[in-house]
Amino acid sequence: DPLERLQVMASLIESCLQASTHSGGALASCLDAHRRHGDPLVQALVGRTLKSVLTPLAEMVHLWVHEGELHDQFGEFFVQPQQDSAFQGHAAQSHPNTGALEWRSSHVLREDMVPRFLPLELANEVLVLGKSLNFMRRACGDSQWVRHAMRSSAAAQGQPSPPVGSLGLSAGLSVGEA
């Protein structure tokens, strides 16, 4: 019944608007809290909505951990660049410890955007992995090995090599896997 679905959506929206942040991982956490509802209609609607919310998040995680690239124009990801990164601008390039400064100040974890169903330890590992790739590309000027590793990994899995800069996602994340 379309009216019943609209009422469920209105309840979900009202519930999620009470949270301090209404996007990304925070929104996924809010929706996940309603996933175990007893009504099959609510479960199905929340499951479809959660999958739609998780798709861009999964794409961001994939790009971050495979290429060290962060494309988050709406600030929805749980990894964010530091606004005052020491690596920004030309002045940092003359500093003798530029690499160490870049590593420490480049990106941070936004704990409020980590979905509740994702352990904080895993979110930290995602941060460090992408930060490492990003550091090697930017501070060390070495990005060729990342492309080579992606192609080798795809070949080992019997998949075609993803184009450089692509996400190469199969976006098959089901709500049960979240």
Side-chain angles (χ1 to χ4, degrees), residues 6-7 13 33 40 53 64 96 102-103 113 128 131 136 140:
L6 281 174
Q7 290 172 332
I13 291 168
V53 168
W64 181 244
E102 167 64 3
W103 174 256
M113 294 301 278
V128 171
K131 196 173 179 178
M136 287 182 198
C140 301

Side-chain angles (χ1 to χ4, degrees), residues 16-67:
C16 291
L17 283 176
Q18 294 175 5
S20 60
T21 307
H22 314 299
S23 64
L27 179 58
S29 293
C30 178
L31 290 170
D32 184 60
H34 296 281
R35 191 169 48 128
R36 292 170 200 78
H37 194 279
D39 185 343
L41 172 75
V42 174
Q43 287 177 348
L45 186 61
V46 170
R48 285 191 307 273
T49 306
L50 184 57
K51 185 173 182 175
S52 295
V53 168
L54 289 176
T55 298
L57 184 63
E59 291 172 354
M60 285 185 264
V61 168
H62 187 333
L63 188 59
W64 181 244
V65 301
H66 287 278
E67 298 184 32

Side-chain angles (χ1 to χ4, degrees), residues 38-159:
D39 185 343
L41 172 75
V42 174
Q43 287 177 348
L45 186 61
V46 170
R48 285 191 307 273
T49 306
L50 184 57
K51 185 173 182 175
S52 295
V53 168
L54 289 176
T55 298
L57 184 63
E59 291 172 354
M60 285 185 264
V61 168
H62 187 333
L63 188 59
W64 181 244
V65 301
H66 287 278
E67 298 184 32
E69 291 284 335
L70 184 60
H71 297 282
D72 183 17
Q73 63 185 13
F74 300 110
E76 298 178 310
F77 193 38
F78 54 84
V79 173
Q80 78 175 21
Q82 280 283 64
Q83 298 302 322
D84 59 347
S85 175
F87 200 65
Q88 294 175 355
H90 299 292
Q93 293 177 359
S94 63
H95 194 283
N97 293 323
T98 299
L101 291 171
E102 167 64 3
W103 174 256
R104 281 195 301 274
S105 66
S106 66
H107 296 83
V108 295
L109 188 68
R110 291 182 59 193
E111 290 187 21
D112 64 320
M113 294 301 278
V114 176
R116 282 187 221 141
F117 49 82
L118 184 70
L120 197 53
E121 296 80 26
L122 182 57
N124 275 308
E125 289 179 17
V126 167
L127 169 68
V128 171
L129 180 57
K131 196 173 179 178
S132 299
L133 293 172
N134 185 276
F135 174 79
M136 287 182 198
R137 272 189 321 95
R138 292 180 62 193
C140 301
D142 189 6
S143 60
Q144 291 297 81
W145 72 270
V146 173
R147 291 183 184 111
H148 176 69
M150 285 181 59
R151 287 187 187 109
S152 297
S153 175
Q157 296 175 11
Q159 300 173 352

